[in-house]
Amino acid sequence: MELGLSNKNVLITGGSRGVGRAVANAFAREGANVAITSRTADDLAATAKEIANSTGATVLPIAGDWRESADVDRVVSETIGELGHIDVFVPNAGDAPPGQFETMDDEKWHWGLNLKFMGHMRGCRAVLPHMAERGSGAVTMVVGNDGLKPPFAEIVPGACNAADINVASSLAEQYGYKGIRVNTVNPGPIDTSRWAWCEEEMAESRGLTLEQVRSLILASLPRGYICTPEEVADVVLFLSSDRASYVSGAHVPVDGAQRKALMYADQHFNIDWA
C-alpha cells in the first residue's frame, strides 16, 4: 500500500531510541524527511547518522528538552528552518514513574505530568499554528494504553496518558476545521530499555522477582509476547499518512488486547507464579 509519505517533513520527539527511533526509521524508509529530537545530543546524532546511512533519507538531529517551552519552540523553529515546514508531528518523548498511589509523592507526579503530558502539549502549542497557517497536517501522539485501561499500579502514567488522550480529542475537533488530523497510538508493554526499567520498578515495589513480573505481564497479553517498537511504528505511519485521511480523534490501542486485571491477579487471588 502506498502511504504517500515520500518527501513529507516529519518531526519526532524522543527519536534517539525505542519507539521514537523505530518511527523515525520507518518514516525514512518511506522517503520522508525526518527531524528527530531528544535531550541526549550524542545518542541523537548517532541515531540520525545510522538511519540516514541505511535509508538515504534526510535525518536531522536537533537536541532539546521538552520540559522547557523555550527549547520546544527552538526545536520546532529549527525544524521549519531546515525543512521548510512540518507535515507530520509525532509527540513521543516522555515517561512517568510506575507505582501505586501511596508511593507517588509530588516529585513523581510533577515528573510524569511535566514530561509525558506537558511535553506533548508544548509541542502541539508550537506546531499546530504552523500547520493551521498551511491548512494541513497530521499529529499522531504516542501515548499509552494506561490512559484507556487504567491500572492502579501505574497511576501516574495512567493519569498522564488519559490527559493526553482527552486533549487530543479536543484538538482533533478544534483543528479539524483547519485541515489538521489529531490521533493517538496507545501501546501496552513495548520491548524497550524503558520497559525493562518498568519491570524492575514493579518487581521492587511489589516484592516480586523479575521472572514473576514477566510472567504476570505475559499472562495479561493474549498475543503471548511483548510488542516490538516496529509494530507501534507501523500504526503511527498509517495514521499519519494520506491513507488515513478521514481518521481524526481516534485513540488506537496497540496492546494485543491486553487485560490489565491479569497483571495484578497475584494480589487478589494469591497466585503463585514461581
Side-chain angles (χ1 to χ4, degrees):
M1 178 185 291
E2 174 56 50
L3 294 177
L5 292 170
S6 181
N7 295 317
K8 296 288 188 180
N9 298 328
V10 184
L11 173 60
I12 303 161
T13 75
S16 65
R17 60 182 180 174
V19 171
R21 180 190 182 109
V23 170
N25 191 50
F27 272 109
R29 290 200 314 269
E30 292 292 324
N33 306 308
V34 178
I36 56 174
T37 182
S38 70
R39 286 174 286 174
T40 309
D42 290 346
D43 290 346
L44 198 64
T47 296
K49 182 177 180 180
E50 181 178 329
I51 294 174
N53 288 343
S54 64
T55 65
T58 296
V59 185
L60 301 175
I62 307 175
D65 188 342
W66 288 68
R67 297 172 299 183
E68 303 291 338
S69 292
D71 246 16
V72 172
D73 292 342
R74 174 185 55 79
V75 169
V76 171
S77 179
E78 287 186 22
T79 301
I80 294 170
E82 291 288 338
L83 298 180
H85 63 272
I86 298 171
D87 295 298
V88 178
F89 176 44
V90 182
N92 164 75
D95 55 27
Q100 297 181 33
F101 180 73
E102 61 272 13
T103 68
M104 295 294 107
D105 57 20
D106 282 6
E107 182 179 359
K108 290 179 180 178
W109 277 103
H110 286 306
W111 166 14
L113 289 165
N114 190 31
L115 186 55
K116 187 62 188 279
F117 174 59
M118 284 306 301
H120 283 16
M121 296 309 104
R122 292 183 188 103
C124 288
R125 192 167 57 202
V127 171
L128 283 171
H130 164 74
M131 288 183 170
E133 185 177 347
R134 299 188 68 249
S136 66
V139 177
T140 308
M141 297 185 191
V142 180
V143 180
N145 75 342
D146 288 348
L148 300 171
K149 303 175 181 179
F152 67 78
E154 296 174 44
I155 194 163
V156 173
C160 296
N161 292 352
D164 281 326
I165 289 167
N166 187 285
V167 173
S169 292
S170 296
L171 295 178
E173 182 176 357
Q174 178 182 351
Y175 284 88
Y177 295 99
K178 301 179 184 296
I180 301 167
R181 298 183 300 106
V182 183
N183 296 291
T184 70
V185 175
N186 301 285
I190 312 169
D191 191 10
T192 63
S193 58
R194 195 253 172 193
W195 180 250
W197 169 73
C198 286
E199 287 188 341
E200 291 172 2
E201 290 289 309
M202 281 188 276
E204 181 178 351
S205 67
R206 300 170 68 205
L208 299 173
T209 66
L210 282 174
E211 290 75 18
Q212 288 171 319
V213 167
R214 177 56 66 94
S215 293
L216 284 168
I217 299 302
L218 291 177
S220 78
L221 299 169
R223 293 285 290 150
Y225 70 95
I226 292 177
C227 181
T228 68
E230 290 73 22
E231 288 173 305
V232 179
D234 286 342
V235 180
V236 172
L237 256 66
F238 173 72
L239 288 176
S240 304
S241 77
D242 295 342
R243 293 296 184 180
S245 58
Y246 206 68
V247 180
S248 192
H251 309 297
V252 181
V254 186
D255 62 6
Q258 182 184 25
R259 294 189 61 198
K260 290 296 185 76
L262 288 178
M263 293 173 62
Y264 313 109
D266 62 326
Q267 292 190 350
H268 298 290
F269 301 109
N270 195 31
I271 294 174
D272 182 8
W273 293 95

